[in-house]
Amino acid sequence: MSVWRRYLVKDVTGRLVDLPSSLLDRADDGTAPLPHFAGRCVEVVAAVIVGDRKAHARVTELAFTKLYFDQMGYVDAAKRERMIRLMLESCADRRHPPPHQGSPQRNSVHLSRRAVAARDQLIREFGWEPKPDERDAALSRLDPSRLRTALPEPVPTLH
């Protein structure tokens, strides 16, 4: 059994097109830019697929996100760091404060507010809520069998 990633990006016409993971990896690690994405925010479908590459592969994770590129076409490192920081802050209300910090009740309220604000900001800056036809288009390209058996409820997204 294999595990691999696939990426689809929304092009200027609104169609979802494949973006090879090797190209995205090189733009992310700073070794080769993607000039056609320079200075843009791109809507990306990221999928983790498990199974045999020739048959019976299934999408196990599906994320609809926004990815920012710098003026040269590399993944914007500052935006990536901001996304990671917001993701960590969004979990603040799930962490337990050390016992020596002030009142547990006050800390809990503060952490909850901080986490909610971070989640809201994360959704505004990096979230992409796909329309049903965009979700179906992604599934039909990545896992057609899942589309046929999909329930009417939306596919969970990861941020």
Side-chain angles (χ1 to χ4, degrees), residues 4 17 21 28 30 38 48 51-52 60 63-64 67 80 82 93 106 109 130-131 139 142 152 154 156 159:
W4 69 98
V17 296
S21 59
D28 193 22
V48 175
D52 181 354
T60 59
F64 293 85
L67 185 60
R80 168 84 65 184
R82 178 163 174 71
D93 56 348
R106 217 167 89 213
V109 169
K131 296 176 183 138
L139 282 173
L142 299 167
H159 298 285

mmCIF file of all heavy atoms in Angstrom, residues 4 17 21 28 30 38 48 51-52 60 63-64 67 80 82 93 106 109 130-131 139 142 152 154 156 159:
data_model
loop_
_atom_site.group_PDB
_atom_site.id
_atom_site.type_symbol
_atom_site.label_atom_id
_atom_site.label_comp_id
_atom_site.label_asym_id
_atom_site.label_seq_id
_atom_site.Cartn_x
_atom_site.Cartn_y
_atom_site.Cartn_z
ATOM 1 N N TRP A 4 0.430 8.895 -0.902
ATOM 2 C CA TRP A 4 1.024 9.999 -1.642
ATOM 3 C C TRP A 4 0.093 11.203 -1.615
ATOM 4 O O TRP A 4 -1.037 11.119 -1.153
ATOM 5 C CB TRP A 4 1.386 9.584 -3.069
ATOM 6 C CG TRP A 4 0.245 9.308 -3.996
ATOM 7 C CD1 TRP A 4 -0.280 10.163 -4.917
ATOM 8 C CD2 TRP A 4 -0.505 8.088 -4.119
ATOM 9 N NE1 TRP A 4 -1.301 9.556 -5.598
ATOM 10 C CE2 TRP A 4 -1.465 8.280 -5.138
ATOM 11 C CE3 TRP A 4 -0.453 6.851 -3.484
ATOM 12 C CZ2 TRP A 4 -2.361 7.294 -5.515
ATOM 13 C CZ3 TRP A 4 -1.345 5.870 -3.854
ATOM 14 C CH2 TRP A 4 -2.280 6.098 -4.857
ATOM 15 N N VAL A 17 -6.772 22.246 -12.026
ATOM 16 C CA VAL A 17 -5.730 21.591 -12.804
ATOM 17 C C VAL A 17 -4.703 20.994 -11.854
ATOM 18 O O VAL A 17 -4.500 21.488 -10.749
ATOM 19 C CB VAL A 17 -5.047 22.559 -13.802
ATOM 20 C CG1 VAL A 17 -6.031 23.047 -14.845
ATOM 21 C CG2 VAL A 17 -4.415 23.732 -13.087
ATOM 22 N N SER A 21 3.263 17.454 -7.126
ATOM 23 C CA SER A 21 3.787 17.717 -5.782
ATOM 24 C C SER A 21 5.265 18.081 -5.826
ATOM 25 O O SER A 21 5.723 18.886 -5.017
ATOM 26 C CB SER A 21 3.527 16.534 -4.859
ATOM 27 O OG SER A 21 4.127 15.373 -5.351
ATOM 28 N N ASP A 28 8.202 25.485 -2.467
ATOM 29 C CA ASP A 28 8.101 25.628 -1.015
ATOM 30 C C ASP A 28 9.477 25.660 -0.351
ATOM 31 O O ASP A 28 9.706 26.426 0.580
ATOM 32 C CB ASP A 28 7.258 24.495 -0.439
ATOM 33 C CG ASP A 28 6.841 24.743 0.991
ATOM 34 O OD1 ASP A 28 6.823 25.910 1.428
ATOM 35 O OD2 ASP A 28 6.516 23.762 1.686
ATOM 36 N N GLY A 30 12.256 26.626 -1.774
ATOM 37 C CA GLY A 30 13.073 27.702 -2.311
ATOM 38 C C GLY A 30 14.072 27.287 -3.376
ATOM 39 O O GLY A 30 15.004 28.032 -3.665
ATOM 40 N N ALA A 38 3.548 33.836 -9.343
ATOM 41 C CA ALA A 38 4.255 34.928 -8.675
ATOM 42 C C ALA A 38 3.295 36.030 -8.227
ATOM 43 O O ALA A 38 2.482 36.517 -9.004
ATOM 44 C CB ALA A 38 5.324 35.496 -9.602
ATOM 45 N N VAL A 48 -4.481 13.650 0.415
ATOM 46 C CA VAL A 48 -3.640 12.516 0.780
ATOM 47 C C VAL A 48 -4.385 11.283 0.296
ATOM 48 O O VAL A 48 -5.566 11.099 0.601
ATOM 49 C CB VAL A 48 -3.400 12.433 2.300
ATOM 50 C CG1 VAL A 48 -2.633 11.169 2.672
ATOM 51 C CG2 VAL A 48 -2.674 13.678 2.795
ATOM 52 N N GLY A 51 -3.434 3.699 -0.888
ATOM 53 C CA GLY A 51 -3.850 2.502 -1.630
ATOM 54 C C GLY A 51 -2.857 2.136 -2.699
ATOM 55 O O GLY A 51 -1.730 2.629 -2.738
ATOM 56 N N ASP A 52 -3.306 1.306 -3.587
ATOM 57 C CA ASP A 52 -2.513 0.890 -4.734
ATOM 58 C C ASP A 52 -2.626 1.985 -5.784
ATOM 59 O O ASP A 52 -3.723 2.430 -6.109
ATOM 60 C CB ASP A 52 -3.056 -0.448 -5.248
ATOM 61 C CG ASP A 52 -2.300 -0.989 -6.432
ATOM 62 O OD1 ASP A 52 -1.401 -0.286 -6.952
ATOM 63 O OD2 ASP A 52 -2.589 -2.115 -6.842
ATOM 64 N N THR A 60 -7.969 10.040 1.616
ATOM 65 C CA THR A 60 -8.198 9.937 3.060
ATOM 66 C C THR A 60 -8.238 11.299 3.735
ATOM 67 O O THR A 60 -8.816 11.440 4.810
ATOM 68 C CB THR A 60 -7.124 9.069 3.738
ATOM 69 O OG1 THR A 60 -5.842 9.644 3.500
ATOM 70 C CG2 THR A 60 -7.182 7.642 3.213
ATOM 71 N N ALA A 63 -8.179 18.847 1.694
ATOM 72 C CA ALA A 63 -8.160 20.204 2.237
ATOM 73 C C ALA A 63 -8.313 21.210 1.106
ATOM 74 O O ALA A 63 -7.709 21.058 0.040
ATOM 75 C CB ALA A 63 -6.851 20.453 2.980
ATOM 76 N N PHE A 64 -9.127 22.211 1.344
ATOM 77 C CA PHE A 64 -9.315 23.310 0.411
ATOM 78 C C PHE A 64 -8.727 24.540 1.093
ATOM 79 O O PHE A 64 -9.289 25.011 2.084
ATOM 80 C CB PHE A 64 -10.799 23.518 0.106
ATOM 81 C CG PHE A 64 -11.417 22.378 -0.647
ATOM 82 C CD1 PHE A 64 -11.899 21.260 0.024
ATOM 83 C CD2 PHE A 64 -11.508 22.420 -2.027
ATOM 84 C CE1 PHE A 64 -12.470 20.206 -0.675
ATOM 85 C CE2 PHE A 64 -12.080 21.369 -2.742
ATOM 86 C CZ PHE A 64 -12.553 20.256 -2.058
ATOM 87 N N LEU A 67 -3.056 29.355 -0.844
ATOM 88 C CA LEU A 67 -1.600 29.328 -0.738
ATOM 89 C C LEU A 67 -1.072 30.600 -1.392
ATOM 90 O O LEU A 67 -1.467 30.937 -2.513
ATOM 91 C CB LEU A 67 -1.048 28.085 -1.433
ATOM 92 C CG LEU A 67 0.437 27.812 -1.329
ATOM 93 C CD1 LEU A 67 0.862 27.641 0.132
ATOM 94 C CD2 LEU A 67 0.794 26.560 -2.114
ATOM 95 N N ARG A 80 3.386 31.492 5.181
ATOM 96 C CA ARG A 80 3.415 30.116 5.708
ATOM 97 C C ARG A 80 3.625 30.146 7.225
ATOM 98 O O ARG A 80 2.930 29.446 7.961
ATOM 99 C CB ARG A 80 4.518 29.326 5.014
ATOM 100 C CG ARG A 80 4.853 28.003 5.639
ATOM 101 C CD ARG A 80 3.997 26.899 5.225
ATOM 102 N NE ARG A 80 4.194 26.642 3.812
ATOM 103 C CZ ARG A 80 3.496 25.761 3.142
ATOM 104 N NH1 ARG A 80 2.569 25.064 3.758
ATOM 105 N NH2 ARG A 80 3.688 25.573 1.864
ATOM 106 N N ARG A 82 2.927 32.594 9.260
ATOM 107 C CA ARG A 82 1.701 33.136 9.867
ATOM 108 C C ARG A 82 0.625 32.061 9.980
ATOM 109 O O ARG A 82 -0.050 31.952 10.993
ATOM 110 C CB ARG A 82 1.194 34.320 9.045
ATOM 111 C CG ARG A 82 -0.101 34.896 9.589
ATOM 112 C CD ARG A 82 -0.367 36.273 9.055
ATOM 113 N NE ARG A 82 -1.662 36.765 9.451
ATOM 114 C CZ ARG A 82 -2.013 37.145 10.668
ATOM 115 N NH1 ARG A 82 -1.139 37.077 11.659
ATOM 116 N NH2 ARG A 82 -3.226 37.588 10.938
ATOM 117 N N ASP A 93 -6.979 27.019 23.472
ATOM 118 C CA ASP A 93 -7.985 26.646 24.460
ATOM 119 C C ASP A 93 -7.990 25.149 24.734
ATOM 120 O O ASP A 93 -8.712 24.687 25.617
ATOM 121 C CB ASP A 93 -9.371 27.124 24.037
ATOM 122 C CG ASP A 93 -9.802 26.619 22.672
ATOM 123 O OD1 ASP A 93 -8.952 26.076 21.930
ATOM 124 O OD2 ASP A 93 -10.982 26.786 22.337
ATOM 125 N N ARG A 106 -9.685 32.576 34.769
ATOM 126 C CA ARG A 106 -9.307 33.713 33.947
ATOM 127 C C ARG A 106 -8.443 33.275 32.763
ATOM 128 O O ARG A 106 -8.611 33.745 31.651
ATOM 129 C CB ARG A 106 -8.580 34.747 34.805
ATOM 130 C CG ARG A 106 -8.938 36.151 34.396
ATOM 131 C CD ARG A 106 -8.493 37.177 35.384
ATOM 132 N NE ARG A 106 -7.130 37.569 35.027
ATOM 133 C CZ ARG A 106 -6.214 37.915 35.899
ATOM 134 N NH1 ARG A 106 -6.485 37.900 37.173
ATOM 135 N NH2 ARG A 106 -5.028 38.282 35.497
ATOM 136 N N VAL A 109 -10.623 31.583 30.035
ATOM 137 C CA VAL A 109 -11.376 32.540 29.224
ATOM 138 C C VAL A 109 -10.436 33.226 28.228
ATOM 139 O O VAL A 109 -10.757 33.378 27.047
ATOM 140 C CB VAL A 109 -12.097 33.584 30.119
ATOM 141 C CG1 VAL A 109 -12.653 34.725 29.302
ATOM 142 C CG2 VAL A 109 -13.183 32.902 30.927
ATOM 143 N N PRO A 130 -15.172 25.581 -0.644
ATOM 144 C CA PRO A 130 -15.517 25.311 -2.045
ATOM 145 C C PRO A 130 -17.028 25.228 -2.249
ATOM 146 O O PRO A 130 -17.771 24.817 -1.366
ATOM 147 C CB PRO A 130 -14.871 23.957 -2.308
ATOM 148 C CG PRO A 130 -14.857 23.296 -0.972
ATOM 149 C CD PRO A 130 -14.625 24.405 0.027
ATOM 150 N N LYS A 131 -17.435 25.621 -3.442
ATOM 151 C CA LYS A 131 -18.829 25.435 -3.828
ATOM 152 C C LYS A 131 -19.024 23.941 -4.092
ATOM 153 O O LYS A 131 -18.066 23.217 -4.346
ATOM 154 C CB LYS A 131 -19.126 26.233 -5.091
ATOM 155 C CG LYS A 131 -18.999 27.726 -4.891
ATOM 156 C CD LYS A 131 -19.206 28.462 -6.179
ATOM 157 C CE LYS A 131 -18.996 29.934 -5.947
ATOM 158 N NZ LYS A 131 -18.241 30.568 -7.008
ATOM 159 N N LEU A 139 -13.251 15.858 -6.288
ATOM 160 C CA LEU A 139 -13.439 14.433 -6.016
ATOM 161 C C LEU A 139 -13.444 13.598 -7.293
ATOM 162 O O LEU A 139 -12.911 12.492 -7.320
ATOM 163 C CB LEU A 139 -14.718 14.195 -5.227
ATOM 164 C CG LEU A 139 -14.629 14.494 -3.735
ATOM 165 C CD1 LEU A 139 -16.002 14.383 -3.081
ATOM 166 C CD2 LEU A 139 -13.632 13.577 -3.053
ATOM 167 N N LEU A 142 -9.851 13.163 -8.185
ATOM 168 C CA LEU A 142 -8.994 12.493 -7.204
ATOM 169 C C LEU A 142 -9.506 11.127 -6.770
ATOM 170 O O LEU A 142 -8.716 10.233 -6.489
ATOM 171 C CB LEU A 142 -8.831 13.387 -5.964
ATOM 172 C CG LEU A 142 -8.178 14.736 -6.224
ATOM 173 C CD1 LEU A 142 -8.366 15.650 -5.022
ATOM 174 C CD2 LEU A 142 -6.710 14.561 -6.556
ATOM 175 N N PRO A 152 -24.816 13.732 0.933
ATOM 176 C CA PRO A 152 -25.038 15.130 0.599
ATOM 177 C C PRO A 152 -24.299 16.106 1.505
ATOM 178 O O PRO A 152 -24.189 17.267 1.195
ATOM 179 C CB PRO A 152 -26.548 15.295 0.728
ATOM 180 C CG PRO A 152 -27.074 14.091 1.386
ATOM 181 C CD PRO A 152 -26.031 13.028 1.295
ATOM 182 N N PRO A 154 -21.166 18.128 3.304
ATOM 183 C CA PRO A 154 -19.887 18.558 2.737
ATOM 184 C C PRO A 154 -18.716 17.712 3.239
ATOM 185 O O PRO A 154 -18.762 17.140 4.333
ATOM 186 C CB PRO A 154 -19.753 20.008 3.209
ATOM 187 C CG PRO A 154 -20.742 20.184 4.294
ATOM 188 C CD PRO A 154 -21.772 19.100 4.178
ATOM 189 N N PRO A 156 -15.240 17.152 4.920
ATOM 190 C CA PRO A 156 -14.522 17.937 5.933
ATOM 191 C C PRO A 156 -13.279 18.583 5.324
ATOM 192 O O PRO A 156 -12.623 17.981 4.498
ATOM 193 C CB PRO A 156 -14.134 16.910 6.991
ATOM 194 C CG PRO A 156 -14.817 15.655 6.630
ATOM 195 C CD PRO A 156 -15.314 15.757 5.242
ATOM 196 N N HIS A 159 -7.629 22.921 7.966
ATOM 197 C CA HIS A 159 -6.985 24.223 7.836
ATOM 198 C C HIS A 159 -5.721 24.216 8.620
ATOM 199 O O HIS A 159 -5.576 23.700 9.635
ATOM 200 C CB HIS A 159 -7.890 25.339 8.342
ATOM 201 C CG HIS A 159 -9.155 25.423 7.547
ATOM 202 N ND1 HIS A 159 -9.197 25.949 6.275
ATOM 203 C CD2 HIS A 159 -10.403 25.023 7.818
ATOM 204 C CE1 HIS A 159 -10.428 25.890 5.835
ATOM 205 N NE2 HIS A 159 -11.174 25.338 6.736
#
